């Protein structure tokens, strides 16, 4: 099967990241309506919106309706939006955004948010890592491949100079460590980019007092180091049964960045009880009011994902502006990764995308998704022009047939939905319709990718023709033109020199006779 990506008409930008487990979304909420960290009694929640300054990588999913607003332009969604509501919220513009991944999906089944992280609690207990000490608060400090865990009396200041760790936990152990504390938890630190895995949870709020990140992560744009993409790349999961809170520390930009700092996070974040938010928002009901006006604390540079029951505030208008800018990126390594929060952890990796051969209009292509899970499978359905057969079966393995019948010439995007072991699951479907008797597909390959300074584009033309190959940045601006000329039939190779480019994501658009393809390039310096 040729794994060839075909471009959207608008800038040819296409992101193929799609979650396979129902909770592995870049953004997942039960409600898009939230409250301040310390609300007034009876205070009504406020519905947050996506704005023109928001560029969203990864799938947005909510049980609620989703709002947008045309401020500095429309928000740009590089992947899918899935909502249990019948439409966008009232008051959203028409169109409500720029959709470069797929058309919004509405009336999707609701995802049930658990009140407790039951599976993590149980696994932590089995590992001897479930801790409960009434009247105590907890602190975790990450360093290399070790978690140093402390406890101290609630309401007192923590000082590691006078308090040795209660426990040191090796993050490279097998099974991967799962830690759960009954109470509040402060967390910070840096772990090695490979070999370290940690699930850490708390029954109360988790305060992030400084960076929680993989070593070598770019502190400006959140790009992960090359080592994180190796087979044993490090992963962090942070789970609170209350809030996950950005603490108002000097390290996190307190008092209008008086000491100049952002906070960098590389983790999956779960706030099962309430929200991902920040503390001391300069509300009148709080004891704290910043002496700075405004109180702009910097940026939250997050590469990972956010799951929260209620959408939390990360910026307020108080004090002339209070809170954080958002530099958010979906960690595509987490796609199809069973994270153990909404369901037990599994080792099986589901494909994020099922690709079909180029198919002439009027013909039908067949493919099969194979699942080795032992849980029950049920309720399969797809979006057009793809189709499948609904069935129920237990136990696995399962072979799910999927058909592609293009109705028009050009790229086709769809989704396969099903329930696996009681968990709502989806896999992206991609194909390309060709004219009946149309040209053969052009084979393309970019290697290495991700890359440091130089990469290569290899392509094979079934017949002679004009080839245009252009690299764009994420804003759709042309960066370089690799080719714009005629080529003979056969194999060709072009060099991609990125010595003067900034680290980040780029898109290579390749136009050949009768076809347009797009390759995603990841430059990491």
């Amino acid at each position: 099967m040729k794994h060839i990506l075909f471009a959207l008409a608008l800038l040819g930008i296409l992101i193929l990241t799609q979650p396979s487990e129902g909770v592995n979304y870049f953004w997942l909420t039960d409600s898009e309506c939230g409250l301040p960290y310390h609300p007034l009694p009876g205070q009504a929640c406020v519905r947050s919106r996506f704005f023109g300054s928001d560029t969203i990588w990864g799938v947005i999913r909510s049980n609620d309706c989703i709002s947008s607003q045309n401020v500095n332009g429309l928000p740009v969604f590089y992947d899918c939006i899935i909502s249990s509501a019948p439409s966008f919220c009232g008051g959203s513009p028409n169109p409500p955004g720029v959709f470069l991944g797929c058309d919004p999906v509405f009336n999707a089944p609701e995802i049930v948010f658990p009140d407790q992280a039951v599976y993590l609690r149980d696994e932590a207990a089995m590992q001897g890592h479930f801790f409960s000490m009434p009247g105590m608060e907890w602190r975790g400090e990450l360093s290399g491949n070790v978690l140093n865990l402390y406890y101290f009396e609630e309401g007192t200041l923590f000082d590691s100079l006078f308090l040795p760790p209660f426990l040191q936990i090796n993050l490279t152990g097998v099974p991967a460590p799962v830690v759960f504390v009954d109470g509040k938890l402060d967390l910070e630190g840096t772990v090695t980019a490979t070999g370290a895995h940690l699930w850490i949870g708390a029954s109360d709020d988790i305060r992030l007092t400084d960076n929680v990140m993989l070593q070598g992560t770019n502190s400006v744009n959140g790009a992960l180091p090359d080592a994180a993409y190796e087979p044993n790349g490090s992963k962090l999961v942070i789970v609170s049964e209350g809030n996950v809170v950005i603490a108002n520390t000097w390290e996190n930009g307190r008092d209008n960045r008086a000491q100049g700092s952002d906070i960098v996070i590389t983790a999956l974040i779960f706030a099962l009880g309430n929200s991902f938010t920040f503390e001391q928002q300069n509300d009148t009901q709080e004891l704290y009011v910043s002496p700075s006006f405004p109180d702009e604390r910097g940026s939250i540079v997050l590469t990972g994902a956010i799951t929260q029951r209620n959408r939390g505030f990360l910026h307020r208008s108080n004090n002339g502006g209070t809170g954080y800018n958002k530099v958010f990126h979906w960690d595509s390594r987490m796609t199809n990764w069973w994270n153990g929060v909404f369901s037990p952890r599994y080792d099986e990796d589901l494909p994020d995308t099922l690709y079909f051969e180029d198919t002439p209009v009027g013909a039908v292509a067949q493919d099969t998704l194979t699942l080795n899970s032992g849980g029950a499978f049920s309720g399969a359905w797809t979006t057009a022009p793809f189709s499948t057969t609904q069935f129920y079966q237990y136990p696995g393995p399962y072979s799910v047939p999927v058909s592609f019948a293009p109705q028009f010439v050009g790229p086709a995007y769809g989704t396969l939905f099903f329930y696996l072991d009681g968990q709502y699951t989806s896999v992206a479907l991609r194909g390309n319709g060709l004219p009946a008797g149309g040209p053969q597909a052009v084979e393309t390959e970019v290697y290495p990718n991700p890359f440091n300074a130089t990469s290569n584009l290899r392509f094979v033309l079934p017949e002679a023709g004009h080839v245009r190959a252009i690299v764009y940045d994420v804003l759709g601006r042309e960066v370089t033109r690799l080719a714009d000329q005629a080529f003979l039939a056969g194999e060709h190779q072009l060099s991609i020199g990125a010595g003067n480019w900034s680290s980040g994501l780029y898109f290579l658009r390749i136009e050949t006779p009768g076809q347009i393809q797009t390759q995603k390039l990841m430059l990491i310096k």
Side-chain angles (χ1 to χ4, degrees), residues 216 364 418 439 451 489:
V364 178
F418 53 88
F451 65 103

Side-chain angles (χ1 to χ4, degrees), residues 213-432:
M213 58 179 279
L214 305 188
Q215 188 175 27
T217 299
N218 187 302
S219 62
V220 176
N221 60 24
L224 299 180
D226 290 348
Y229 292 96
E230 295 179 3
N232 197 31
S234 298
K235 295 176 181 176
L236 301 174
V237 180
I238 301 169
V239 184
S240 168
E241 294 176 351
N243 298 280
V244 177
V245 184
I246 306 298
N248 189 20
T249 58
W250 295 115
E251 293 80 3
N252 292 343
R254 183 184 181 95
D255 287 347
N256 204 43
R257 301 187 72 187
Q259 297 185 11
S261 187
D262 300 319
I263 178 170
V264 183
I265 306 168
T266 51
L268 295 185
I269 290 177
F270 294 83
L272 300 180
N274 201 353
S275 301
F276 176 56
T277 186
F278 70 107
E279 68 180 5
Q280 297 180 338
Q281 299 178 7
N282 293 318
D283 282 308
T284 56
Q285 66 267 28
E286 290 189 298
L287 295 177
Y288 173 86
V289 176
S290 172
S292 298
F293 191 96
D295 187 12
E296 300 287 0
R297 302 176 192 176
S299 295
I300 301 171
V301 182
L302 182 144
T303 300
I306 301 167
T307 293
Q308 52 188 329
R309 185 175 294 273
N310 305 303
R311 180 169 176 169
F313 294 121
L314 295 173
H315 192 275
R316 305 284 303 282
S317 60
N318 300 343
N319 254 42
T322 298
Y324 295 89
N325 297 317
K326 302 182 290 293
V327 183
F328 288 176
H329 292 278
W330 162 243
D331 185 351
S332 60
R333 303 176 308 142
M334 304 297 188
T335 304
N336 309 328
W337 185 58
W338 296 81
N339 55 62
V341 179
F342 281 53
S343 57
R345 288 194 292 135
Y346 290 90
D347 292 330
E348 178 179 15
D349 287 329
L350 300 177
D352 59 351
T353 304
L354 192 62
Y355 299 90
F356 285 80
E357 298 274 3
D358 293 350
T359 305
V361 173
V364 178
Q366 306 282 344
D367 208 337
T368 301
L369 177 67
T370 301
L371 307 173
N372 296 313
S373 172
F377 177 94
S378 63
W381 76 98
T382 62
T383 55
F386 303 89
S387 60
T388 187
T389 302
Q390 295 192 30
F391 64 94
Y392 173 83
Q393 186 179 338
Y394 179 85
Y398 312 110
S399 295
V400 185
V402 184
S403 300
F404 170 47
Q407 303 166 1
F408 52 83
V409 174
Y413 312 97
T415 307
L416 168 66
F417 301 96
F418 53 88
Y419 284 88
L420 181 62
D421 211 19
Q423 181 65 55
Y424 176 68
T425 306
S426 61
V427 174
L429 305 174
R430 299 291 185 260
N432 187 62

